[in-house]
Amino acid sequence: MLGSEKERPNVVVFFTDQQRWDTTGVHGNPLELTPNFDRMAKEGTHLYHSFTNHPVCGPARACMQTGLYGTTTGCYRNANPLPPDTKTLANYFKEGGYYTGYIGKWHLAAQEPVSKEKRGGYDYWLAANALEHTSEAYHTVLYDEDCQPVQLPGYRVDALTDAAIRFIDKKHDKEQPFFLFLSFLEPHHQNRSDDYPAPDGYREKYTSRWTPPDLAALGGTTQQHLGGYYGMVKRLDEALGRLMDALKSLNIKDNTIVLFSSDHGCHFKTRNDEYKRSCHESSIRVPTAITGPGFMGGGQKKELISLLDIPPTLLNAAGLHIPNDMAGNSILPLINGQKDGWPDDLFMQISESQVGRAIRTKKWKYSVSDPTKDGVTDSKSGSYVEEFLYDLEADPYELINLIGLKSHQQVTSQMRKRLLRRIEEVEKEQPVIQPAPLKESGQRKVTDQEILS
């Protein structure tokens, strides 16, 4: 543990909403949308295989705030508030001597504005529970500590970034270190208009430029929305650059940990009738990088990392105790070359669109659901049906569903066992999974080595 409060690093979480991993240059996007994120990933630690555990806004945020699965906290769907006795990052950092602040979208309460007891223990508060409903792209309305509305000038990304820089400027020279959670709405759509409102001029710049293979093949609303979506991503990256500039100008960049991540991805209505809530990479894979003390020069880590690993990582890096009940693991040992014991699969819970469960290894993705349940009323099931199996090496954009193929029965059996083991470990349940009907395989075959990959 670090010696004094003054020696402890400041911590800033830069959290976007609904941002795909392949919007970034380090993941192959050719449009130069994210030079600041890319530099951060190259100079700090890039978590190449980074995922949400629950691809929908509220549950993903519950995972980030608590280090617990959605079914553990009860936040398995958007309308379920975080229980008031649940400890959050704010509580843990405050116990460690930090001043804590929250700016932006909360989505862990059932009221607007959010009352003090529903704010997760944060000291400073300038936020809205559902920012997509209290604001528009050029009309940003948040609520302060007294539940009074505050309208901020500028494009919404800039308005929140300005507020964050003001917070940092006010707190940086104090004896007490700070923890700031900056939660954007972008590049999430504006619900009222089902649109992705980029800053003026940005949508036009990126329309019809480059389309990821899954969206090119499956269509959805891609051609209508991708230009605006990319424009929002570009402005977010510019905001990240402004925040890093502020840290540098205040001479605290070298003593501030900055984490960039997102709650889930976006599939543009290609996998269901909205934008997330599915097992696919387009829903679950997010861009994540960390810089600052303990993370500089960490390189690219290709182990499977999830949002549940972020809370213990931040606490560990700040020299604070990691609670025993947190479901994830600190990545600091990985940075230091200690890979033994790191999980080789990732467990996901899917709600609202379905009651679904999925597991991912480096090569395989396997998902099940209960078609008799609606995903809103029920958080789990005692009986699931096999739905998807993907070979992520041969088919990284998941265009060919292999479930039920005779050639892949051994793979399916292994993945089924993995998933059942994880469900029992996390949910303390022992459900039944009904195998998919068998289908002919054509020329497809799977080697013994691939089965266990």
Side-chain angles (χ1 to χ4, degrees):
M1 180 170 290
L2 300 176
S4 68
E5 289 180 2
K6 187 65 175 177
E7 293 173 333
R8 290 181 181 157
N10 304 305
V11 180
V12 178
V13 176
F14 192 104
F15 202 56
T16 68
D17 192 327
Q18 205 161 289
Q19 185 174 354
R20 291 169 62 107
W21 85 101
D22 57 6
T23 55
T24 65
V26 288
H27 281 292
N29 190 296
L31 300 181
E32 299 183 355
L33 300 175
T34 60
N36 292 299
F37 175 86
D38 297 340
R39 182 172 62 254
M40 178 180 174
K42 292 172 183 176
E43 294 178 354
T45 300
H46 181 207
L47 303 181
Y48 184 83
H49 288 123
S50 178
F51 303 88
T52 187
N53 305 91
H54 211 131
V56 66
C57 298
R61 282 167 170 71
C63 291
M64 273 288 285
Q65 291 297 325
T66 68
L68 304 172
Y69 282 96
T71 52
T72 303
T73 60
C75 296
Y76 70 90
R77 64 184 179 103
N78 274 338
N80 289 8
L82 193 67
D85 59 344
T86 303
K87 295 191 72 170
T88 68
L89 282 171
N91 299 132
Y92 296 123
F93 273 97
K94 283 173 69 173
E95 290 172 358
Y98 279 72
Y99 183 82
T100 63
Y102 198 96
I103 297 173
K105 175 176 173 174
W106 178 239
H107 220 150
L108 288 172
Q111 61 185 171
E112 195 80 85
V114 180
S115 62
K116 187 172 183 178
E117 63 272 14
K118 301 290 186 181
R119 298 173 187 168
Y122 282 88
D123 296 309
Y124 177 83
W125 184 263
L126 185 62
N129 187 56
L131 189 58
E132 54 267 55
H133 300 304
T134 69
S135 67
E136 301 276 335
Y138 282 94
H139 183 75
T140 304
V141 177
L142 302 171
Y143 295 90
D144 64 16
E145 295 162 4
D146 298 319
C147 292
Q148 296 302 304
V150 178
Q151 184 173 339
L152 301 177
Y155 182 70
R156 187 165 44 204
V157 168
D158 302 327
L160 268 61
T161 305
D162 291 344
I165 291 172
R166 287 193 294 269
F167 173 94
I168 292 169
D169 184 40
K170 185 176 181 180
K171 295 297 176 184
H172 81 279
D173 60 350
K174 308 297 182 184
E175 289 295 315
Q176 186 181 27
F178 63 82
F179 170 72
L180 173 63
F181 201 107
L182 175 57
S183 178
F184 294 93
L185 176 63
E186 285 74 16
H188 188 286
H189 58 290
Q190 190 74 45
N191 295 54
R192 178 185 64 81
S193 56
D194 192 20
D195 186 33
Y196 291 79
D200 291 349
Y202 280 55
R203 184 198 305 262
E204 298 80 0
K205 184 176 181 180
Y206 296 110
T207 296
S208 300
R209 292 287 304 280
W210 179 76
T211 304
D214 61 317
L215 302 181
L218 301 175
T221 66
T222 298
Q223 296 310 315
Q224 176 185 354
H225 288 148
L226 195 56
Y229 182 81
Y230 281 160
M232 297 164 97
V233 169
K234 180 64 176 177
R235 192 62 152 238
L236 283 163
D237 190 75
E238 291 169 348
L240 175 65
R242 289 181 55 223
L243 186 138
M244 300 300 286
D245 286 346
L247 296 175
K248 184 174 182 178
S249 73
L250 295 171
N251 201 31
I252 58 171
K253 184 177 178 181
D254 292 341
N255 192 43
T256 301
I257 295 167
V258 179
L259 164 78
F260 182 110
S261 193
S262 192
D263 60 347
H264 52 75
C266 186
H267 62 67
F268 294 97
K269 300 187 181 181
T270 56
R271 303 296 186 171
N272 53 43
D273 61 1
E274 42 85 53
Y275 298 107
K276 55 260 188 183
R277 301 177 179 92
S278 82
C279 72
H280 301 89
E281 299 289 277
S282 49
S283 284
I284 67 169
R285 192 169 178 185
V286 295
T288 305
I290 315 180
T291 189
F295 299 100
M296 294 304 294
Q300 186 183 84
K301 301 303 174 186
K302 290 199 171 183
E303 286 77 14
L304 302 177
I305 306 293
S306 81
L307 294 186
L308 287 172
D309 298 314
I310 300 303
T313 297
L314 296 179
L315 293 174
N316 192 189
L320 304 179
H321 172 69
I322 301 173
N324 293 329
D325 63 346
M326 281 191 172
N329 303 283
S330 170
I331 69 163
L332 285 179
L334 287 181
I335 295 175
N336 296 324
Q338 301 172 31
K339 299 182 180 182
D340 292 345
W342 191 266
D344 62 355
D345 59 30
L346 175 76
F347 174 60
M348 289 151 287
Q349 300 174 316
I350 305 163
S351 65
E352 298 192 353
S353 65
Q354 60 177 206
V355 177
R357 298 294 182 265
I359 195 159
R360 187 199 194 279
T361 65
K362 285 193 173 180
K363 181 173 177 62
W364 302 108
K365 169 85 63 65
Y366 173 77
S367 182
V368 302
S369 67
D370 182 349
T372 70
K373 297 184 182 297
D374 64 9
V376 175
T377 306
D378 302 293
S379 64
K380 59 185 72 172
S381 175
S383 179
Y384 295 95
V385 177
E386 291 181 337
E387 191 171 16
F388 297 110
L389 177 70
Y390 294 107
D391 181 341
L392 299 170
E393 291 181 356
D395 179 27
Y397 283 91
E398 300 168 312
L399 297 174
I400 302 172
N401 186 8
L402 304 169
I403 200 67
L405 291 186
K406 291 181 179 179
S407 56
H408 287 70
Q409 288 308 293
Q410 286 184 279
V411 173
T412 303
S413 175
Q414 289 293 327
M415 295 300 286
R416 186 187 304 123
K417 290 176 183 176
R418 278 181 179 262
L419 181 56
L420 286 170
R421 183 170 63 247
R422 284 293 220 144
I423 291 174
E424 183 175 5
E425 172 189 312
V426 173
E427 302 177 14
K428 315 305 179 188
E429 304 278 351
Q430 295 181 319
V432 173
I433 297 178
Q434 303 294 333
L438 289 177
K439 298 183 291 187
E440 293 299 325
S441 310
Q443 296 182 338
R444 293 184 182 277
K445 294 182 180 179
V446 180
T447 68
D448 291 342
Q449 182 177 2
E450 287 177 318
I451 291 171
L452 299 176
S453 296

